[in-house]
Structures are given as C-alpha cells and as structure tokens.
C-alpha cells in the first residue's frame, strides 16, 4: 500500500460507506454526489491494492481487508479528533505545559497564585523554577521558561515587563534590640550595627545598596547570607539587622521587630516578565489573564499593583505573531 496516496477525506468517505452500507446514503450524509463518492472509493482501493467490498443484496459489505482498513481509519480519525479537542482546550488555555522562573523572594507569593489557578485549570501542568536573581537571569537569557517573576527586571530590547505586586523592603531587628519602639530613627543611628545582607546580584541587596549610595550612606560591618530564611533566623538570634522583603518577613515564624527608620520601607515591586522575541502560548496567556482578574483574591489586595487590570492586554499586544 502506498500510504502517500491516502488522505483524511478518503478515510472519512470510506467510514461513511461502511457504516451506511451504500454509496448513495454516504453521499447524502457527506453532501457529495454519488460519482464523487464512487471515485473516492476507487482511489482508496487502488492505494490499498486489494478489494475492500463485496456487494450483497444491494449493500456493500467489507472484505477481511476492508474490515481492517475500517478499524485503522476509525483509529486514525479518532486520534485526530482527540487532537482537535486537545487543540481547542490548549487554545483556550485549559490545558498545556507552563514553565515559570521566579526569584527566591517571590516563592512566598507565587504558589498562592498558582494554587488558585490550578483549581480552575487542573489540566495545565506548571513547572516552577526558583533561584537567586543571577540564576533566573541565566534562565531568561537561555529562554528556558515562558514567564518570569523578578523584583528587578533584566534590561534589553527583548524584555517585556509589567509590575504586578508591591514588594516593600523593611529594616528588621531582634525583639530585644535597643532601637525597637523608637520613632523616626535616622539610618545614621544604625550605621555601627552589623547588617546581614544577601549575595551580590540579589535584587534586595541591589535596592538597598542603591538607596545607601543615593543617601550618601555606607555600611560598617556586614555578614553575607544567601538565604532569606537564614537571615530571619540570624536576626532573631541577635547576629545583626537586615533589610528584607515584607512578604519574606510575613512567612517566617521568628519573633522579629520592624524598625521605624526614615526612608523605609523602600518601595520595590515584583514584575511579570516575558521575552518579546518569544511567542507566548495559550496556557501562559491564560495565567496572565487569570492574574489580571484574580490576583487581589490570592494575596493582600493592598499589595496588588494599581494597573493590574491592564496586565493581559499589555502582554497580548506585545506578543509576536
């Protein structure tokens, strides 16, 4: 059999003739003329190079080979009907695969969003990749994910970013620290304190260092710790002070104090980021629309960016076709 001579249309015609028993009935069902159906059957028989029907009492009855062809045709067309259903679901964003790269601090919030999304779209498989800013920047450069969440987005012509959540940075101290309860502290009052800071390249550290430079300040003693959880524990244990995301602080069980320091909290934001040179597939667009419609239900509404309603339109307009 020369499979190149087969087509979906030939198989559709054949299935109808087998099911209805006559060329005329199949022609009516397919809205074709009888000669057209007869020609299709002839082409199919030539492609198979075996007789497909016996004629009995005016009805067309399949031969042994015709029976097998019928089963194969039903299987092929059935599989493509399944694919078409899948395609419709994928185009609606109700199924598919989605990979998201997020910076470490966002791990305290993004799962809340994804949990609510999963309950509405259980057939979308999401892979969450978490790392420090340098690691997620690498994934962005290699185009390893569909969506990214940064508190300090990368730069460049390929970057498409939109603010989604506020991420204020606060000065924290152990409960027994001398500055706890004092109002309107100047940062100069704390410069002799040891500060626990994240690794170079961390967005929190970048924001803090930028603020220090802009205000003509510098730190004295520092200790570098590459984990928000370890920073919280270390501050609670009295190893020093730190500047940390309000979301990170809320997720911890440690007893910590937020100091009232002039200029704080530092206003930072989380951004949803995509690449302009990569087409967003339907599951990614569905998540963006879901966030635009439901983000205020997933997190503290006071933390949601004011322009969240335009999120989906922003990315849809920017996506390449």
């Amino acid at each position: 059999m020369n499979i190149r001579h087969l087509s979906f249309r030939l198989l559709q015609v054949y299935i109808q003739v087998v099911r209805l028993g006559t060329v005329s009935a199949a022609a009516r069902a397919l809205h074709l003329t009888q000669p057209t159906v007869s020609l299709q059957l002839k082409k199919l028989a030539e492609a198979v190079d075996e007789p497909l029907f016996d004629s009995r009492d005016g009805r067309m009855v399949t031969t042994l080979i015709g029976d097998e062809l019928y089963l194969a045709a039903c299987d092929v067309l059935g599989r493509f009907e399944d694919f078409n259903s899948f395609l419709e679901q994928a185009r609606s964003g109700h199924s598919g695969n989605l990979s998201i790269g997020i910076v470490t601090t966002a791990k305290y919030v993004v799962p809340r969003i994804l949990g609510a999304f999963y309950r509405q779209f259980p057939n979308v498989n999401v892979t969450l990749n978490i790392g420090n800013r340098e690691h997620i920047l690498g994934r962005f450069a290699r185009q390893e994910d569909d969506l990214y969440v940064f508190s300090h987005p990368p730069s460049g012509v390929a970057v498409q970013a939109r603010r989604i959540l506020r991420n204020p940075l606060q000065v924290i101290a152990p409960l027994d620290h001398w500055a706890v309860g004092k109002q309107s502290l100047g940062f100069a009052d704390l410069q002799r304190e040891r500060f626990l800071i994240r690794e170079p390249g961390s967005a929190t550290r970048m924001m803090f260092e930028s603020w220090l430079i802009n205000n003509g300040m510098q730190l004295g003693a520092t200790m570098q710790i590459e984990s928000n959880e370890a920073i919280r524990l270390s501050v609670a244990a009295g190893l020093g002070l730190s500047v940390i995301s309000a979301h990170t602080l809320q997720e911890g069980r440690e007893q910590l104090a937020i100091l009232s320091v002039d200029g704080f909290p530092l206003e930072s934001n989380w951004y949803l980021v995509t690449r302009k040179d990569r087409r967003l597939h339907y599951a990614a667009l569905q998540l963006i629309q879901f966030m635009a419609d439901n983000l205020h239900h997933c997190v503290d509404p006071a933390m949601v960016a004011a322009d969240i309603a335009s999120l989906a339109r922003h990315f849809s307009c920017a996506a390449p076709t």
Side-chain angles (χ1 to χ4, degrees), residues 243-275:
V243 171
I244 198 169
S245 163
H247 297 280
T248 301
L249 183 60
Q250 289 173 2
E251 295 300 321
R253 297 181 179 179
E254 300 81 16
Q255 297 297 309
L256 297 166
I258 299 173
L259 300 185
S260 179
V261 180
D262 293 341
F264 285 81
L266 298 182
E267 284 303 320
S268 174
N269 296 280
W270 278 321
Y271 293 80
L272 188 66
V273 178
T274 66
R275 295 187 61 97

Side-chain angles (χ1 to χ4, degrees), residues 6 47 123 148 199 215:
L6 295 179
N123 294 320
Y148 302 85
E199 71 283 0
N215 287 275

Side-chain angles (χ1 to χ4, degrees), residues 81-97:
E81 286 175 4
D82 289 343
F83 174 73
N84 188 56
S85 297
F86 169 81
L87 187 60
E88 290 178 357
Q89 279 200 330
R91 284 176 171 168
S92 68
H94 283 73
S95 66
N97 298 306

